[in-house]
Amino acid sequence: MNQNAIMTFADIFTTVDAINIPVIQRDYAQGRQSAQEIRQQFLHTLEQALRQGSETVPLDLDFVYGSLENGNLSVLDGQQRLTTLFLLHWLLAGKENESEAFRQRFTHNGKSRFSYQTRASAAEFLDALVIADPARYDFSSDATPIDEQLIDSPWFYLSWLQDPTVASCLTMLCAIQQRFCFPQGDLFQRLCDRENKRIVFHYLNLENFGLSDDLYIKMNARGKALTDFENFKAWLSGRISQWPTAHEFSLRLDQQWTDLFWLRRNKELPFDTLYLRFFMRMAFLLACGQSGKTANTLTEDDLAWFSLLRDAQSTFSPLEFGQHSVFTIEDLAKIKQVLDYFCSDRATPDAHALLTRFITTSDYLVQAQFYALTLFILRQDNDDGEALRLQRWQRITNNLLRTMRLDYIDIFIRVLAGLNAIVPHAHALYTDLTQAQQRWQAALGRHSVSNEQWKEEILKVGLIMQNIDWETAMMHAEDHPYLQGRIRGLLALAYRANDECHDRAMFTLLVEKSFRVLDRRIVEHPEHLLERALLTQDDYLVQMSGDRYTFCHPANHSWRDRSKSWLAVVEKPVFGRLLAHIDDNDVADTLRQLIAEVDCGGWRELIVKHPEVISYTEERLLDKEAENIYLLSKSTRRGYFFELHSYVLAERLRYFMAENALPKGIKAVKYYWTYGDDQPWLEITLNDDTIRYACYLKGRFAPWEEKDNDGRIKPLPASFARQAKKLMPEIYPAD
């Protein structure tokens, strides 16, 4: 067989006796349930190639590597594509009454000429499949799935289902049946046509090797089967073979750049996985940055392709990479420049930390931040001012990106377009900030949801240009995990209205106090000190939607977490009033003192005095409806909840019951939480063992539910109102 011959799957059997998948290869993967997107995309591409006219260029499935020995071709790369093609030939032959032609070409002495050596069961299944009588099977669109038909065949052993390759073959046959269910007549002939080839690949004969461990030792220093990254490197080497600097690129790929990812490896993520992930995610960024797509123009194929690259969980697929024209010479030149930057002494510790996050997480924010860094690297001048320009570029872009919801691909693509629009100003960003804002807004259009952040950045840059010392103070504040770039609340507190200016010393002090108050040990304190101390000053709760409010959650990973949590509190006047009480003393002690001196009255004081109600709210949520406060165990009232005033009254009555000191006329009390549309209630047992029910509605305790024989709700004891006023001074102030 010629080196680098272009042929169809059927062609290859005119030059070899058999094709074997060697024992050191993995199982067939394209039929796995987890590979649905790859499977459907591949079959869609094959179908398009078969349906097109003979004048069109054939579909090129790229390189297949193998070792030929004694007429048997052992496949080293191309196993997945070849297996799918074999199954496609079998099903189309059976569907189009071409089974005899199939057998003549693909069987010998009753055995399949395409076989697996990975497990005996896989080879047995393929041998049985090629001689099965196609008349037994229905390939039509409304037929029973072909896998069920095959499993029900007398020749099929159920033990074969334990073989991953057999299971994958069955899944792929079902997908082929569904994809090729419509009548078309001659697709099998088109597959085998040697004159008008529709689907081809390049065969690369590794003729200098025998199929032994030596082959893998020479191709892979660890002596194991080729990894996805090694297959990718082989594919990439073929792609750049005509590139003038291909040799230099290949050397760096195997040497300097390898060290970057070797140092970042761990038990879960070996270095070659990280290495391949870097290239796939760079392909994702470059594809998104150049796509010009919008939500209305993104197709299913776009989404599948972007997902494959971004998630980087799937195996390397030469077919998809070739079809999408990924890694053009221009793209590889950019990637080379980025990798060379990280191998140089110009790369900052922050840049290295970002690279690690880029290849170990799939967060849109991290990927957008890395794209911003990439854009800067591609425009760097390598002069003395580069470090300062990069610091300012990253500060502004990070602030913009961290104050946006980046959780949808269409928004992400728009944001990359915005970064592309403003990067011409990267080397003079502070002086060009207004022009950069205009370009950003033009690129994002209606998605430009960060206009308020731009106003903040312009304000901050104005202060920095007046006094450079502002920059350090601001960068320190912007790095707080709950603020992450948005510090307008602290800037507002530092504004002196009389002088119409911002006081930098005051700002620095406010930042220092904020760091102490928003320390994780305080935010997550089991006594809820911060929440209760804030309530002594005012209603700080953050509105989620409608009547629903949050005590604030300690999570700070995403913009969504922060914008409806402590960041929103920092921008309320109540936060400034709390900071006014913070001095050099221990913060926890200061908060406890405010709690001990609480005198705000109403529902706020009840919560301050009963912190267990905050602990009850797993999602940190409550509903405020008029004067009723409902504490939620879940995110809605579909989970159990209780009403604050009635709960506190029940708790105080239970305390007296434990002390045998209940008010006169009351023998026992219970409190009932509820869910749905019901109202929480107290069950009060009177001295004569009669029972009354009470709830809190419209600012007062009222009888609930139980009715007398005339259909009237039974009233509460006459003394109940007096006892409630005595027990609940927070809502019934003394006359």
Side-chain angles (χ1 to χ4, degrees), residues 318-501:
L319 172 66
E320 281 88 0
F321 277 53
Q323 286 177 332
H324 289 88
S325 299
V326 74
F327 296 129
T328 63
I329 297 302
E330 292 77 12
D331 288 344
L332 290 173
K334 293 176 182 177
I335 292 172
K336 177 182 180 298
Q337 194 169 342
V338 170
L339 288 172
D340 283 346
Y341 167 81
F342 281 105
C343 289
S344 72
D345 57 6
R346 302 191 311 278
T348 65
D350 286 344
H352 277 287
L354 180 57
L355 172 62
T356 299
R357 294 197 302 274
F358 178 62
I359 58 177
T360 55
T361 71
S362 59
D363 189 280
Y364 274 124
L365 171 61
V366 172
Q367 291 165 346
Q369 289 173 322
F370 195 84
Y371 187 74
L373 174 60
T374 295
L375 291 178
F376 186 91
I377 292 170
L378 297 178
R379 299 180 68 91
Q380 62 187 336
D381 291 334
N382 302 336
D383 59 18
D384 292 339
E386 177 190 308
L388 179 60
R389 290 194 295 269
L390 174 58
Q391 172 189 293
R392 290 179 168 180
W393 167 257
Q394 287 191 296
R395 182 183 153 263
I396 295 293
T397 55
N398 280 344
N399 290 349
L400 293 171
L401 296 173
R402 291 186 296 184
T403 52
M404 298 180 68
R405 282 193 64 176
L406 280 174
D407 47 9
Y408 294 103
I409 185 64
D410 57 321
I411 299 295
F412 180 78
I413 290 173
R414 288 284 189 179
V415 166
L416 298 198
L419 292 170
N420 275 318
I422 66 174
V423 73
H425 301 287
H427 288 189
L429 192 55
Y430 279 14
T431 56
D432 293 355
L433 202 57
T434 301
Q435 299 96 307
Q437 178 192 14
Q438 294 168 354
R439 292 173 65 99
W440 172 278
Q441 292 171 332
L444 269 70
R446 64 183 180 86
H447 295 292
S448 185
V449 294
S450 54
N451 288 343
E452 291 300 314
Q453 190 63 32
W454 274 104
K455 293 179 182 178
E456 179 180 321
E457 297 308 321
I458 291 172
L459 168 64
K460 291 186 288 191
V461 166
L463 293 173
I464 293 170
M465 300 298 276
Q466 294 173 20
N467 186 332
I468 193 64
D469 292 337
W470 269 104
E471 189 164 31
T472 301
M474 288 178 180
M475 290 175 63
H476 176 57
E478 289 166 349
D479 279 342
H480 191 280
Y482 287 113
L483 305 181
Q484 293 198 29
R486 180 160 160 164
I487 59 172
R488 68 195 65 173
L490 297 179
L491 285 170
L493 291 174
Y495 185 72
R496 294 204 310 257
N498 292 339
D499 299 327
E500 297 184 345
C501 69

Side-chain angles (χ1 to χ4, degrees), residues 38-240:
I38 295 174
R39 179 166 59 252
Q40 294 300 334
Q41 184 176 345
F42 190 19
L43 291 180
H44 173 70
T45 304
L46 294 177
E47 182 188 22
Q48 284 186 321
L50 287 176
R51 292 184 183 279
Q52 289 175 346
S54 59
E55 71 282 356
T56 58
V57 176
L59 172 65
D60 189 343
L61 298 185
D62 221 316
F63 285 92
V64 170
Y65 313 125
S67 177
L68 188 61
E69 188 173 4
N70 298 325
N72 292 320
L73 174 63
S74 290
V75 178
L76 303 182
D77 183 70
Q79 164 197 0
Q80 305 297 321
R81 287 164 284 158
L82 293 178
T83 306
T84 299
L85 285 173
F86 176 77
L87 297 174
L88 177 63
H89 280 72
W90 179 85
L91 190 136
L92 289 181
K95 185 174 185 297
E96 298 173 1
N97 298 317
E98 296 282 358
S99 294
E100 185 57 34
F102 175 87
R103 290 195 189 97
Q104 288 179 5
R105 189 181 297 269
F106 298 110
T107 67
H108 179 68
N109 292 333
K111 301 284 188 180
S112 174
R113 295 176 69 190
F114 179 84
S115 188
Y116 269 71
Q117 294 180 347
T118 54
R119 289 183 178 87
S121 51
E124 292 168 358
F125 166 74
L126 293 175
D127 286 343
L129 182 69
V130 297
I131 63 172
D133 182 4
R136 289 181 51 92
Y137 309 113
D138 185 353
F139 301 97
S140 61
S141 60
D142 57 351
T144 301
I146 191 64
D147 64 331
E148 296 181 22
Q149 297 184 57
L150 293 174
I151 292 170
D152 195 41
S153 299
W155 53 265
F156 190 94
Y157 291 93
L158 293 179
S159 61
W160 289 347
L161 293 174
Q162 304 304 312
D163 187 326
T165 291
V166 175
S168 289
C169 285
L170 293 172
T171 301
M172 178 58 80
L173 285 169
C174 276
I176 296 172
Q177 178 190 25
Q178 295 166 6
R179 172 67 63 177
F180 293 87
C181 63
F182 301 105
Q184 50 259 342
D186 62 348
L187 295 189
F188 179 77
Q189 292 294 337
R190 294 188 180 194
L191 271 175
C192 301
D193 192 336
R194 302 188 67 182
E195 297 299 324
N196 298 309
K197 296 175 179 171
R198 308 301 174 90
I199 300 172
V200 299
F201 55 84
H202 299 256
Y203 173 71
L204 185 62
N205 183 14
L206 302 176
E207 56 188 7
N208 294 326
F209 300 98
L211 183 59
S212 66
D213 288 345
D214 289 343
L215 167 63
Y216 286 88
I217 292 171
K218 290 178 180 179
M219 295 186 69
N220 182 335
R222 296 182 303 281
K224 299 179 181 178
L226 296 180
T227 66
D228 291 325
F229 180 65
E230 288 160 338
N231 283 324
F232 168 74
K233 282 203 298 182
W235 172 86
L236 191 61
S237 295
R239 194 165 185 82
I240 66 173

Side-chain angles (χ1 to χ4, degrees), residues 424-626:
H425 301 287
H427 288 189
L429 192 55
Y430 279 14
T431 56
D432 293 355
L433 202 57
T434 301
Q435 299 96 307
Q437 178 192 14
Q438 294 168 354
R439 292 173 65 99
W440 172 278
Q441 292 171 332
L444 269 70
R446 64 183 180 86
H447 295 292
S448 185
V449 294
S450 54
N451 288 343
E452 291 300 314
Q453 190 63 32
W454 274 104
K455 293 179 182 178
E456 179 180 321
E457 297 308 321
I458 291 172
L459 168 64
K460 291 186 288 191
V461 166
L463 293 173
I464 293 170
M465 300 298 276
Q466 294 173 20
N467 186 332
I468 193 64
D469 292 337
W470 269 104
E471 189 164 31
T472 301
M474 288 178 180
M475 290 175 63
H476 176 57
E478 289 166 349
D479 279 342
H480 191 280
Y482 287 113
L483 305 181
Q484 293 198 29
R486 180 160 160 164
I487 59 172
R488 68 195 65 173
L490 297 179
L491 285 170
L493 291 174
Y495 185 72
R496 294 204 310 257
N498 292 339
D499 299 327
E500 297 184 345
C501 69
H502 291 82
D503 187 319
R504 185 171 55 82
M506 183 185 299
F507 174 79
T508 302
L509 178 61
L510 290 167
V511 170
E512 186 272 331
K513 289 183 176 183
S514 298
F515 271 61
R516 294 172 62 203
V517 167
L518 295 177
D519 183 275
R520 186 164 288 275
R521 291 169 296 181
I522 298 298
V523 172
E524 296 181 358
H525 200 285
E527 298 175 39
H528 310 296
L529 297 179
L530 180 55
E531 297 92 325
R532 295 161 66 199
L534 281 165
L535 286 172
T536 67
Q537 303 300 302
D538 203 347
D539 177 5
Y540 81 93
L541 302 182
V542 177
Q543 187 175 24
M544 300 296 287
S545 63
D547 296 324
R548 192 143 302 157
Y549 292 78
T550 178
F551 287 108
C552 292
H553 204 281
N556 57 32
H557 174 70
S558 69
W559 166 246
R560 186 176 184 179
D561 292 336
R562 299 190 304 279
S563 63
K564 292 291 187 179
S565 189
W566 293 113
L567 173 60
V569 176
V570 172
E571 296 175 6
K572 290 173 175 276
V574 62
F575 191 72
R577 291 200 287 275
L578 178 70
L579 292 185
H581 293 279
I582 303 300
D583 51 25
D584 293 335
N585 294 325
D586 180 75
V587 171
D589 289 342
T590 301
L591 299 180
R592 286 192 181 97
Q593 183 177 352
L594 289 173
I595 291 168
E597 297 171 354
V598 60
D599 189 29
C600 58
W603 63 268
R604 287 164 40 211
E605 186 169 338
L606 293 180
I607 293 177
V608 171
K609 291 180 177 178
H610 291 268
E612 71 273 12
V613 305
I614 303 178
S615 300
Y616 174 79
T617 57
E618 293 181 14
E619 302 293 334
R620 315 278 290 176
L621 294 172
L622 58 79
D623 279 358
K624 290 196 292 183
E625 290 185 4

